[in-house]
Structure formats: structure tokens, C-alpha cells
Amino acid sequence: SIQRSAHGTLQRGAVERGAPWRQLAAATVPASASACLQQHQQHYHRQQQQQYREMGSWPKVRPRRLRVITCDITGTLLSFKGSLEEHYLGSAQKIGIQLYPNVPIGKAFNKAYREMCTRYPCFGGNVLPAKEWWKLTVLRSFELANITLTTEQQEAVFSRIYSRFGSLGAYEKFEDTLPFLHWVGRLNVRCGVLSNADERYGDSILPMLGVTHDELHFQLFSKDLGFEKPDPRCFAAVIKEGERMNHDREDPLLPGHCLHIGNDYTKDFEGARRAGMHAILLDRYDEEELAQEWKRRGALVFKDLMDVVLW
């Protein structure tokens, strides 16, 4: 694959810069030592590869042939509107809950979210419905923020928050989202979603914003898959889905034919590259320091999807 050939280039370069066993290889060695020498060479290659990865020296390789593009959702195709504080605390105030000043609901939510991801990964997977998972997370957020709710208040505040995050009040698509997806369609390239999210995005949120199966030919969510990016099984699922739509069995879809676009270095960029795919990160929110770090570690970083078109 492209990734493997790129890795090979890195490794060969390391050897040519003076691998300690190079001189040994040139010498005549007994047959009994051949296996040992081979093991030493393989070990050296692994060390060099790990060193390069730690340094973030992923090579920038342009795809020679592109047949499938996958996108993350939030931060790539869609953006949140408003703040978590506005949505959570605003919902609480509307049902008459008295709040003390400077409620740390943001920090409380982050902690509750991490707890729930550990306890019930993949938004509950096949153990909990996504709605129940979110209910536990929302109520735990208020608990960690030291806001006591009655049973009636718990039901009311969760209903408001859950509805809010299924409405136009919480999401908007980026201006370049549909133009980009339409451009991809004109190229006869299959486009899909690969996201650590639950199926609600595909069922209601994306269609509500005018992004339908006409633009996104397949949608893969961690809730349905049972694992999350950067798990290689997520990217293997892309190949499987792309191959399902491939009508030419003599021309199989390969990882090097796929591009993944997201906004998280580990989950999106590194996960895709380790799977043999191409990857691009978007710096939608002008986080210059973070974007420079991504670039330093070998990522291809653009401001928006129009930059991807120009690329």
C-alpha cells in the first residue's frame, strides 16, 4: 500500500544513514548466524519506525487514485451553535431551577462524559440506547456541578436538553459542506461519514441540515460499530462499505484509494494513516498553535473543505 511503501522509504533512509549492522551484513557470516543477523535487522527496522512515529514524521503522500472520502461530523461538516453552558443552564432555568453564580457545568460535563465513555463505551453500544446514555450523562453533569434535582426536574431538564440537541438551535453546517459534497459526487467518488457518535446524527441531525444520503452514501457511527476511531476496525469498515458499492470485482478497493477528513490528530489523522489511508485535518476554528503542532507531526492541515478541493 501507499502507507507501507512510505514506511519502507523511511526505513531505507535510516539504513543508508549508517545502520550499525550494515557493515556486518557485508561480511561473510556463518549460516548459523544468519537468523540472528536477520532478527537484529528486523528489530532495528522496528526501532526506527517507532522513532519516526514518535517524531511525527508521517510523509505527505498525494493519492494517485481517490475512490472513497470519509468525513468526521462536528468540526468537519457541522459546528455546534451556542455554548454548553447556554444549553444546559438555560434549560434548567426555564423549568424554574435556581442556580448559583458561575456553575461549572462545562467541567462537570467533561468529567461525566469521560465517566460514561469508560462505563458504557460507544454511547452504550448494544448495552444502552443512546438516549438513555445521554440521560445518564446529562444528569451526572448536574450532580457533579452540585445542582440537586428532583425526579420531576430530572425528567424535565433532560427532555429540554435532548430536544435542544436535536434541533437547529444547537447545530449548523459549514458554508462549504454542501458545495464540497456535491463536488465529490460529480467526481463519482463515494463519500461517507465515519464518526465517534451515535446514530442520531444520521437519523435526524444531518437530514435536518440538508445533508442526506444523496450526498453521504454511507454513514458509520461508533454506536453501531461497537468501537471508536482510531481503532483500525473503524477504517476497515470503510473499506468494507466502499467495496459493497464497488461493482467492478476485478478492481478491488484498497486503503490507498481512501481519504479521511477530520479534526483530531490521533483519531482521524493517525488512525487513518495507520490503516493505510490518506488523511487531512481541518483547522476550522483558527487554533494556530494546535494546527502548527499537527503540521510538525506530519499532518496535512487545511482551513476548510475548499482548500481540500484546491489540493
Side-chain angles (χ1 to χ4, degrees), residues 126-146:
N126 59 5
V127 177
L128 283 179
K131 186 174 182 179
E132 183 64 23
W133 190 95
W134 279 111
K135 182 176 183 180
L136 292 173
T137 303
V138 168
L139 298 183
R140 177 61 172 157
S141 299
F142 281 98
E143 180 184 355
L144 290 171
N146 295 317

Side-chain angles (χ1 to χ4, degrees), residues 100-231:
Y100 60 89
N102 302 317
V103 177
I105 194 67
K107 291 182 179 179
F109 170 80
N110 290 337
K111 184 176 181 180
Y113 185 88
R114 289 193 299 270
E115 288 181 1
M116 289 299 298
C117 286
T118 300
R119 187 176 179 186
Y120 300 111
C122 300
F123 302 91
N126 59 5
V127 177
L128 283 179
K131 186 174 182 179
E132 183 64 23
W133 190 95
W134 279 111
K135 182 176 183 180
L136 292 173
T137 303
V138 168
L139 298 183
R140 177 61 172 157
S141 299
F142 281 98
E143 180 184 355
L144 290 171
N146 295 317
I147 299 174
T148 303
L149 304 175
T150 65
T151 301
E152 183 178 346
Q153 288 174 330
Q154 288 178 358
E155 294 296 329
V157 75
F158 172 70
S159 293
R160 279 185 171 272
I161 291 173
Y162 192 75
S163 296
R164 183 69 173 174
F165 279 93
S167 74
L168 293 172
Y171 302 95
E172 61 185 348
K173 65 178 177 291
F174 291 105
E175 291 183 357
D176 58 4
T177 294
L178 283 178
F180 174 77
L181 295 177
H182 292 158
W183 172 77
V184 171
R186 289 195 297 272
L187 295 178
N188 200 30
V189 171
R190 296 295 183 179
C191 192
V193 160
L194 178 62
S195 179
N196 290 352
D198 63 70
E199 71 283 1
R200 195 181 189 198
Y201 275 100
D203 292 343
S204 59
I205 296 171
L206 286 167
M208 173 183 68
L209 292 166
V211 184
T212 70
H213 286 281
D214 291 335
E215 291 81 28
L216 297 171
H217 307 116
F218 62 91
Q219 299 177 12
L220 299 172
F221 299 104
S222 59
K223 167 70 173 173
D224 299 323
L225 294 173
F227 32 82
E228 299 181 328
K229 299 176 297 182
D231 191 310

Side-chain angles (χ1 to χ4, degrees), residues 18-49:
W21 47 265
R22 189 171 180 82
Q23 292 77 18
L24 293 175
T28 301
V29 295
S32 60
S34 297
C36 180
L37 178 59
Q38 185 177 12
Q39 289 179 353
H40 183 80
Q41 292 171 349
Q42 292 172 348
H43 176 68
Y44 183 82
H45 277 304
R46 288 195 295 269
Q47 283 187 322
Q48 287 295 310
Q49 184 178 22

Side-chain angles (χ1 to χ4, degrees), residues 58-73:
W58 285 99
K60 293 180 174 63
V61 182
R62 182 180 293 274
R64 296 180 180 178
R65 185 184 182 195
L66 200 55
R67 299 170 66 186
V68 171
I69 295 177
T70 55
C71 300
D72 187 35
I73 299 181

